[in-house]
Amino acid sequence: MPKTLEATYDPSKKWMPIEEGKYPAHITGLSTREMNTRAGEAIIVNMTYKVDESVSEYEQPLWEMDGYNYVKDSSGNKIPVMNGNGEQSTGSCSHLKDRELYDNGFFIFTDTSSASKNSRYFTLLQNLGIKCEDDKGIKKLVLLEEEDVIGKPVHVTVKRQEYVTKETKDLPYEQQEKRSTFKVGDVELWEDGPTLSEEELGDDVPF
């Protein structure tokens, strides 16, 4: 007779993929590091984000799936799941609640000769409501610190990124193994979103 296990299977809980889009979140971590790049010395700012529970109110388009892979037509396009009205079906984004997301880093080039490359970091500061001193049209950038951003409510734009695995990156192109991940691209202040306290962040708070 088969042995009873503690494991269960709930057929109502179907796996859902992440879709590109803009989602509500809170900043839960910040780190900086210095790097020597071809454009000169740079400081890289990385942040961690936790998707807010209100994401359950968001909807995402549904596509035909074969396990964890999208079913595609002969042209390589994803096949939408259609409803009775001939429109693409949608499903709740509740599976994203509490998910941790990461960005690729925001570069700050410290050499004045590369100042024009700092536009993305300046936009981040603007989007987070961080003021920069203006010196005759030249913006004096500031370095974000944990107390400036931890717990801050934001909307993050998530994009799929493809990469070649470390084990196969030196192989011929046709032998390389490609995988994909999702990274935060743009970050904007969530104007009416709740700021989280240290108590609400719990184990997520880095200090």
Side-chain angles (χ1 to χ4, degrees):
M1 182 176 179
K3 183 180 178 181
T4 302
L5 299 175
E6 293 296 326
T8 61
Y9 165 61
D10 185 350
S12 67
K13 293 185 177 180
K14 187 177 180 181
W15 179 81
M16 290 273 284
I18 300 177
E19 295 291 344
E20 294 184 338
K22 184 182 289 188
Y23 301 107
H26 290 89
I27 299 173
T28 57
L30 177 138
S31 64
T32 60
R33 58 192 171 98
E34 296 181 358
M35 177 179 284
N36 214 342
T37 74
R38 283 179 291 183
E41 292 285 340
I43 300 172
I44 305 172
V45 177
N46 288 96
M47 292 187 288
T48 307
Y49 314 83
K50 186 175 183 178
V51 180
D52 185 69
E53 61 183 10
S54 63
V55 76
S56 299
E57 301 169 12
Y58 286 55
E59 296 278 316
Q60 68 179 57
L62 298 182
W63 307 90
E64 295 284 354
M65 304 293 297
D66 178 14
Y68 297 112
N69 300 311
Y70 292 100
V71 176
K72 297 184 178 181
D73 60 21
S74 57
S75 299
N77 299 314
K78 295 185 293 187
I79 300 175
V81 174
M82 309 301 288
N83 61 25
N85 296 321
E87 301 171 336
Q88 185 171 8
S89 297
T90 60
S92 169
C93 293
S94 57
H95 59 293
L96 296 179
K97 176 187 171 185
D98 294 334
R99 189 181 185 98
E100 278 202 334
L101 299 171
Y102 307 89
D103 55 43
N104 280 324
F106 295 85
F107 283 67
I108 311 167
F109 295 95
T110 54
D111 193 304
T112 54
S113 63
S114 297
S116 62
K117 301 182 188 300
N118 288 327
S119 60
R120 184 166 180 262
Y121 181 71
F122 176 66
T123 299
L124 172 68
L125 295 178
Q126 281 188 309
N127 289 348
L128 293 178
I130 306 294
K131 302 295 184 183
C132 292
E133 183 182 338
D134 190 305
D135 182 12
K136 299 178 181 179
I138 304 299
K139 304 295 183 182
K140 293 187 174 181
L141 301 179
V142 295
L143 182 61
L144 289 173
E145 297 186 330
E146 289 180 341
E147 55 262 35
D148 299 318
V149 296
I150 299 300
K152 208 179 251 306
V154 291
H155 280 118
V156 295
T157 300
V158 178
K159 294 285 188 180
R160 179 192 295 270
Q161 293 185 358
E162 195 174 76
Y163 65 96
V164 177
T165 62
K166 184 190 299 186
E167 296 77 15
T168 65
K169 67 178 183 179
D170 295 323
L171 296 177
Y173 179 80
E174 61 276 5
Q175 297 179 28
Q176 292 178 347
E177 181 183 353
K178 293 183 178 179
R179 295 180 183 173
S180 61
T181 186
F182 287 86
K183 292 282 189 176
V184 170
D186 298 326
V187 181
E188 299 173 2
L189 194 61
W190 178 7
E191 296 290 353
D192 56 351
T195 298
L196 298 186
S197 64
E198 288 185 38
E199 292 74 22
E200 291 172 307
L201 285 168
D203 293 336
D204 294 317
V205 68
F207 47 80

